[in-house]
Amino acid sequence: MRIGIMGSGGLGGYFGARLALGGADVHFIARGKHLEAMRSQGLRIEGPEPLHARDVKVTDKPADAGVMDVVMLGVKLWDTEQAIAQMRPMVGPDTAVISFQNGVLKDQYLRSAFSERQIMGGVGYVATTIESPGVIRQTGPMQRLLFGEFDGTRSPRGEALLAACKAGGINAELSTDIVREIWQKYVFLVGLSGTTTTMRKTIGPIRSHPQTRAFLVDVMKEVIAVGRAHGVALPEDHIDAAMQRADTVSPDMTSSMHHDLERGNPLEVRWLAGGVVELGQARGVPTPMNRAIADILALHAGGNRG
């Protein structure tokens, strides 16, 4: 199976390395020093289950890679428009394009660029960071990919990708309700990213303090209300499930958006808390908590390096 990895950072690099070790014909799209290191020494994953994918196929020119069976999109959300334009040479009539990015607005951008039959939905779970060029560090044992057709069918291409994932040791699932899976992640992610970034703290103290815990709950309740207003069948007890997850993850856990703020990088707040506000307005659902997060972080959204 020919698989293109558009964005070879923490998520794309990690899952792409596993797919390559499982025998898939993986083509990484990377740039800069990360590209140079991958060309010279391969891609190394450090952490709970270290691995080294040697002699990886990597380029900064998607046209050189050719048409893929699947293109996995994993760039930061602010790079989405540019990435879609660059990856077009890898997308043929029968290619499946799957965004494993954060949020729920991501698939709207794919629909504006490709036909509905070319798009599948995806959700990725893994805690990683680029430690140095060519080296990705996994900071926790959890790794999981969910993907599926938006009409709920179990397609041959979905089954083929599932087999490729399993061969690489990926905890993967072919979902028949990928929209709900995307929103279930969105609920937790918006809460985690919004609180850790505005409060400059990890999840531990946030969930332990009554006032900040209540804020976290209210943020996630807004996301659930907006999702339901858009017809997503989120379970009645989903806030309990989301808080159970918040209570059981490591107290040192934080969000990639928090890391981006500390590094002076652009933030994904426009598509996370800001996305909740935008989607809430479309259905007349009030979202004051997420509006507060988006407003607090507005001055940092474009990044502030150096």
Side-chain angles (χ1 to χ4, degrees), residues 269-304:
V269 65
R270 153 72 180 81
W271 300 271
L272 299 180
V276 178
V277 175
E278 178 182 332
L279 293 167
Q281 289 174 340
R283 291 291 188 273
V285 178
T287 55
M289 299 297 182
N290 281 280
R291 170 69 186 274
I293 290 169
D295 290 352
I296 290 167
L297 296 176
L299 296 179
H300 305 279
N304 185 31

Coordinates of all heavy atoms in Angstrom, one line a residue, residues 269-304:
V269 N -5.6 27.7 18.4 CA -6.8 28.2 19.1 C -7.9 28.6 18.1 O -9.1 28.4 18.4 CB -6.4 29.3 20.1 CG1 -6.0 30.6 19.3 CG2 -7.6 29.6 21.0
R270 N -7.6 29.1 17.0 CA -8.6 29.5 16.0 C -9.5 28.3 15.6 O -10.7 28.5 15.3 CB -7.9 30.1 14.8 CG -8.6 30.0 13.4 CD -9.8 30.9 13.3 NE -10.5 30.8 12.1 CZ -11.3 29.8 11.8 NH1 -11.7 28.9 12.7 NH2 -11.9 29.8 10.6
W271 N -8.9 27.1 15.6 CA -9.7 25.9 15.2 C -10.2 25.1 16.4 O -11.0 24.2 16.2 CB -8.8 25.1 14.3 CG -8.4 25.8 13.0 CD1 -9.1 25.9 11.9 CD2 -7.2 26.6 12.9 NE1 -8.4 26.6 11.0 CE2 -7.2 27.1 11.6 CE3 -6.1 26.9 13.7 CZ2 -6.2 27.9 11.1 CZ3 -5.1 27.7 13.2 CH2 -5.2 28.2 11.9
L272 N -9.7 25.3 17.6 CA -10.1 24.6 18.7 C -11.2 25.4 19.5 O -12.3 25.3 19.1 CB -8.9 24.3 19.6 CG -7.8 23.4 18.9 CD1 -6.6 23.1 19.8 CD2 -8.4 22.1 18.4
A273 N -10.8 26.2 20.5 CA -11.9 27.0 21.1 C -12.6 27.9 20.1 O -13.8 28.0 20.2 CB -11.3 27.8 22.2
G274 N -11.8 28.5 19.2 CA -12.4 29.3 18.2 C -13.4 28.6 17.3 O -14.4 29.1 16.9
G275 N -13.1 27.3 17.0 CA -14.0 26.5 16.2 C -15.3 26.3 16.9 O -16.3 26.2 16.3
V276 N -15.2 26.1 18.2 CA -16.4 25.9 19.0 C -17.3 27.1 18.9 O -18.6 27.0 18.7 CB -16.1 25.5 20.5 CG1 -17.4 25.4 21.3 CG2 -15.3 24.3 20.6
V277 N -16.7 28.3 19.0 CA -17.5 29.5 18.9 C -18.1 29.7 17.6 O -19.3 30.0 17.5 CB -16.5 30.7 19.2 CG1 -17.3 32.0 19.0 CG2 -16.0 30.7 20.6
E278 N -17.3 29.4 16.5 CA -17.8 29.5 15.2 C -19.0 28.5 14.9 O -20.1 28.9 14.4 CB -16.7 29.2 14.2 CG -17.1 29.3 12.7 CD -16.0 28.9 11.8 OE1 -14.8 29.2 12.2 OE2 -16.2 28.4 10.7
L279 N -18.8 27.3 15.3 CA -19.9 26.3 15.1 C -21.1 26.5 16.0 O -22.2 26.2 15.6 CB -19.3 24.9 15.3 CG -18.3 24.5 14.3 CD1 -17.5 23.2 14.8 CD2 -18.9 24.2 12.9
G280 N -20.8 27.1 17.2 CA -22.0 27.4 18.1 C -22.8 28.5 17.5 O -24.1 28.5 17.5
Q281 N -22.2 29.6 17.0 CA -22.9 30.7 16.4 C -23.8 30.2 15.2 O -24.9 30.7 15.0 CB -21.9 31.7 15.9 CG -21.2 32.5 17.0 CD -20.1 33.5 16.5 OE1 -19.6 33.3 15.4 NE2 -19.8 34.4 17.3
A282 N -23.3 29.2 14.5 CA -24.1 28.7 13.3 C -25.4 28.0 13.7 O -26.3 27.9 12.9 CB -23.2 27.7 12.5
R283 N -25.4 27.5 15.0 CA -26.6 26.9 15.5 C -27.3 27.6 16.7 O -28.2 27.1 17.3 CB -26.3 25.4 15.9 CG -25.9 24.5 14.8 CD -27.1 24.2 13.9 NE -26.9 23.1 13.0 CZ -26.4 23.4 11.8 NH1 -26.1 24.6 11.4 NH2 -26.1 22.4 10.9
G284 N -26.8 28.8 17.0 CA -27.4 29.6 18.0 C -27.1 29.0 19.4 O -27.9 29.2 20.4
V285 N -26.0 28.4 19.6 CA -25.6 27.8 20.9 C -24.6 28.7 21.5 O -23.5 29.0 21.0 CB -25.0 26.4 20.7 CG1 -24.5 25.8 22.1 CG2 -26.0 25.4 20.0
P286 N -24.8 29.2 22.7 CA -23.9 30.1 23.4 C -22.6 29.4 23.8 O -22.7 28.3 24.3 CB -24.7 30.7 24.6 CG -25.8 29.7 24.8 CD -26.1 29.1 23.5
T287 N -21.5 30.0 23.7 CA -20.2 29.4 24.0 C -19.3 30.4 24.8 O -18.2 30.7 24.3 CB -19.5 28.9 22.8 OG1 -19.4 29.9 21.8 CG2 -20.3 27.7 22.2
P288 N -19.7 31.0 25.9 CA -19.0 32.0 26.6 C -17.6 31.6 27.1 O -16.6 32.3 27.1 CB -19.9 32.5 27.7 CG -20.8 31.3 27.9 CD -21.0 30.7 26.6
M289 N -17.5 30.3 27.5 CA -16.2 29.8 28.1 C -15.2 29.7 26.9 O -14.0 30.1 27.1 CB -16.4 28.5 28.7 CG -17.3 28.5 29.9 SD -16.7 29.5 31.2 CE -18.0 29.3 32.5
N290 N -15.6 29.1 25.8 CA -14.7 29.0 24.7 C -14.4 30.4 24.0 O -13.2 30.6 23.6 CB -15.2 28.0 23.7 CG -15.0 26.6 24.1 OD1 -13.9 26.0 23.9 ND2 -16.0 26.0 24.7
R291 N -15.3 31.3 24.1 CA -15.1 32.6 23.6 C -14.0 33.3 24.5 O -13.1 34.0 24.0 CB -16.4 33.4 23.6 CG -16.2 34.9 23.4 CD -15.8 35.3 22.0 NE -15.5 36.7 21.9 CZ -16.5 37.6 21.6 NH1 -17.7 37.2 21.4 NH2 -16.1 38.9 21.5
A292 N -14.1 33.1 25.8 CA -13.1 33.6 26.7 C -11.7 33.1 26.4 O -10.7 33.9 26.3 CB -13.5 33.3 28.1
I293 N -11.6 31.8 26.1 CA -10.3 31.2 25.8 C -9.7 31.8 24.5 O -8.6 32.2 24.4 CB -10.4 29.7 25.7 CG1 -10.7 29.0 27.0 CG2 -9.2 29.1 25.0 CD1 -11.1 27.6 27.0
A294 N -10.6 31.9 23.5 CA -10.2 32.4 22.2 C -9.7 33.9 22.3 O -8.7 34.3 21.7 CB -11.3 32.3 21.2
D295 N -10.4 34.7 23.1 CA -10.1 36.1 23.3 C -8.8 36.2 24.1 O -8.0 37.1 23.8 CB -11.2 36.8 24.0 CG -12.5 36.9 23.1 OD1 -12.4 36.6 21.9 OD2 -13.5 37.4 23.7
I296 N -8.6 35.4 25.2 CA -7.4 35.5 26.0 C -6.2 35.2 25.2 O -5.1 35.8 25.4 CB -7.5 34.5 27.2 CG1 -8.6 35.1 28.2 CG2 -6.2 34.4 27.9 CD1 -9.0 34.0 29.2
L297 N -6.3 34.3 24.3 CA -5.1 33.8 23.5 C -5.0 34.5 22.2 O -4.0 34.3 21.4 CB -5.2 32.3 23.3 CG -5.1 31.4 24.5 CD1 -5.3 30.0 24.2 CD2 -3.8 31.6 25.3
A298 N -5.9 35.5 21.9 CA -5.8 36.1 20.6 C -4.5 36.8 20.3 O -4.0 36.7 19.1 CB -7.0 37.1 20.4
L299 N -3.9 37.4 21.3 CA -2.7 38.2 21.0 C -1.5 37.2 20.8 O -0.4 37.7 20.3 CB -2.4 39.1 22.2 CG -3.4 40.2 22.4 CD1 -3.0 41.1 23.6 CD2 -3.5 41.1 21.1
H300 N -1.6 36.0 21.2 CA -0.6 35.0 21.0 C -0.8 34.0 19.8 O 0.1 33.3 19.5 CB -0.5 34.1 22.2 CG -0.3 34.9 23.5 ND1 1.0 35.4 23.9 CD2 -1.2 35.3 24.5 CE1 0.8 36.0 25.1 NE2 -0.4 36.0 25.4
A301 N -2.0 34.2 19.1 CA -2.4 33.2 18.1 C -1.4 33.1 17.0 O -1.2 32.0 16.4 CB -3.8 33.4 17.7
G302 N -0.8 34.2 16.6 CA 0.1 34.3 15.5 C 1.5 33.9 15.8 O 2.4 33.8 14.9
G303 N 1.8 33.6 17.0 CA 3.2 33.2 17.4 C 4.0 34.5 17.8 O 3.6 35.6 17.4
N304 N 5.1 34.3 18.5 CA 5.9 35.4 19.0 C 7.3 34.9 19.1 O 7.9 35.0 20.2 CB 5.4 36.0 20.3 CG 6.1 37.2 20.7 OD1 6.6 38.0 19.9 ND2 6.2 37.4 22.0

